[in-house]
Amino acid sequence: MAAAAVYYRFVWQMQGAEIPYTEMFGTFSLAVGATVGMEYWARWAHRALWHASLWHMHESHHRPREGPFELNDVFAIINAGPAIALLAYGFFNKGFVPALCFGVVSTGLCFDCYYH
């Protein structure tokens, strides 16, 4: 997902001009680095937050589901807003900082596809 986002952002922003492939590779590398970094952050947060201070909400994820939703789904709803904002910032701005946005959002998408 990060690769496609980086590629299409460059194609869209260059508007037919020559694409700076070294900058595109650097942007993609930062996105991959941010994805890896976010995976470590997510592992720590799951252990230190979800299974500690936020256990009363996360516990529903470890019990059999009773209905279409569980209290743990609140985390996905809360994280959706920042994810949409980061993706929009990453797509509509130039430079290397947007690559970090793509990496952060890629982590969430990979988590959703792999774990659920």
Side-chain angles (χ1 to χ4, degrees):
M1 194 231 105
V6 169
Y7 176 77
Y8 285 113
R9 182 193 72 145
F10 273 89
V11 169
W12 175 66
Q13 287 182 350
M14 298 309 293
Q15 297 179 355
E18 186 176 334
I19 296 173
Y21 286 103
T22 54
E23 184 180 344
M24 189 164 69
F25 178 74
T27 302
F28 177 70
S29 298
L30 277 174
V32 170
T35 302
V36 171
M38 280 300 297
E39 178 59 30
Y40 284 104
W41 164 258
R43 287 174 186 247
W44 174 84
H46 186 257
R47 190 176 332 109
L49 299 174
W50 279 249
H51 280 259
S53 60
L54 297 172
W55 177 249
H56 65 283
M57 293 173 68
H58 182 64
E59 182 181 17
S60 65
H61 178 68
H62 293 278
R63 289 182 287 160
R65 188 179 289 255
E66 299 173 5
F69 300 106
E70 56 189 37
L71 188 56
N72 189 64
D73 293 338
V74 169
F75 294 121
I77 294 167
I78 290 171
N79 289 325
I84 292 167
L86 286 171
L87 196 56
Y89 181 84
F91 195 75
F92 293 115
N93 291 286
K94 294 181 180 181
F96 289 118
V97 173
L100 300 174
C101 299
F102 291 143
V104 170
V105 173
S106 293
T107 303
L109 289 173
C110 290
F111 175 82
D112 250 9
C113 293
Y114 181 74
Y115 292 107
H116 292 104

